[in-house]
Amino acid sequence: MSATLRENRRATMQNVSAPSVGRPRSGARRLPTASARDEILDAAAELFAQRGYAATSTRLIAERVGIRQASLYYHFDNKETVLAELLEATVRPSLDYAGEITGQGLEPAAALHALVRYDVGVLLGARWNVGILYALPEVASEPFTRFRQERERLRYAYRTLVSACGGHLDNPEITGDLVFGLVESVIGMRRDLDDLPATEVLQGIVAAAALRLVGRAPGV
């Protein structure tokens, strides 16, 4: 092949546009600064909370994000793993915080007050009210084992702090569970009340109520 022919072929190839990689999104990004994985989680949380878990498919989640269903499966194996990660995100921050305040040398009532405030903030601060999915029958299955374990560890942290608040309680374990349930009651409030108090206000109300349950005066 002559040098002139080779140069002509090279010029022709350079003028051919390279094929695009992948398929562009079908619309604007949900969360412009978030990763694709976080956008999937956000879309799934919205759909699970508003339409219901059973009524939401991975195809619908992908459509809400504006990606192909196959792209969703690059990040998650199935719908169960999406929900599991969402549920774990509602308890893990508070569980980590419980571990942090344990080593700070706080008086037990002060530590309990701090944990309640923090935990309520986590449950109310999430973009979507994922906590309403705790009672799903599917959550008792194997894919959600880690979530159930972490939630039980958080419950145990409450029991431990309540027990440390004093020996005057007839049943510290039950009282600890009552405090734990009081905290999680904000999930139902968020679902049912149209005029929910500001997060900071509700944090204070629930924390004060928790101290009353253990026989300690609010205002720690």
Side-chain angles (χ1 to χ4, degrees):
M1 182 183 295
S2 68
T4 301
L5 183 58
R6 284 197 299 269
E7 289 176 2
N8 289 340
R9 176 172 292 182
R10 186 180 301 114
T12 300
M13 294 298 293
Q14 288 174 345
N15 289 330
V16 176
S17 298
S20 60
V21 178
R23 181 184 296 178
R25 288 172 178 261
S26 60
R29 296 190 61 170
R30 292 176 60 87
L31 304 172
T33 61
S35 66
R37 183 183 183 88
D38 286 341
E39 285 191 287
I40 292 168
L41 288 169
D42 181 72
E46 178 186 14
L47 290 166
F48 291 159
Q50 296 184 351
R51 292 175 57 96
Y53 179 70
T56 300
S57 64
T58 53
R59 181 180 298 277
L60 187 58
I61 296 170
E63 289 175 354
R64 184 62 60 94
V65 178
I67 61 175
R68 292 177 298 171
Q69 189 177 20
S71 298
L72 183 149
Y73 286 127
Y74 175 80
H75 298 280
F76 296 95
D77 292 338
N78 48 46
K79 188 170 71 167
E80 288 79 7
T81 56
V82 177
L83 178 59
E85 185 159 331
L86 288 170
L87 293 178
E88 289 165 20
T90 67
V91 297
R92 188 171 299 135
S94 298
L95 183 59
D96 291 343
Y97 184 72
E100 291 176 14
I101 61 176
T102 299
Q104 292 178 2
L106 294 176
E107 194 269 334
L112 178 63
H113 187 272
L115 178 57
V116 169
R117 285 188 61 93
Y118 186 91
D119 202 359
V120 169
V122 169
L123 294 173
L124 294 180
R127 182 169 153 91
W128 307 106
N129 193 16
V130 177
I132 60 175
L133 304 171
Y134 286 177
L136 284 174
E138 291 87 349
V139 176
S141 62
E142 190 278 332
F144 305 97
T145 299
R146 185 165 60 183
F147 161 69
R148 295 195 307 273
Q149 290 174 339
E150 292 187 345
R151 187 168 175 236
E152 283 306 304
R153 287 172 58 199
L154 182 57
R155 184 196 304 272
Y156 181 77
Y158 277 106
R159 289 176 176 175
T160 301
L161 285 174
V162 166
S163 180
C165 282
H168 61 283
L169 298 172
D170 293 334
N171 194 322
E173 184 172 291
I174 294 298
T175 306
D177 286 352
L178 287 172
V179 171
F180 184 62
L182 175 65
V183 170
E184 290 195 344
S185 71
V186 302
I187 295 169
M189 294 182 200
R190 184 176 177 182
R191 177 195 60 206
D192 299 333
L193 300 181
D194 294 329
D195 190 20
L196 195 68
T199 296
E200 186 172 342
V201 172
L202 199 50
Q203 284 176 300
I205 292 171
V206 177
L211 291 186
R212 292 189 183 96
L213 276 173
V214 299
R216 303 295 291 267
V220 175

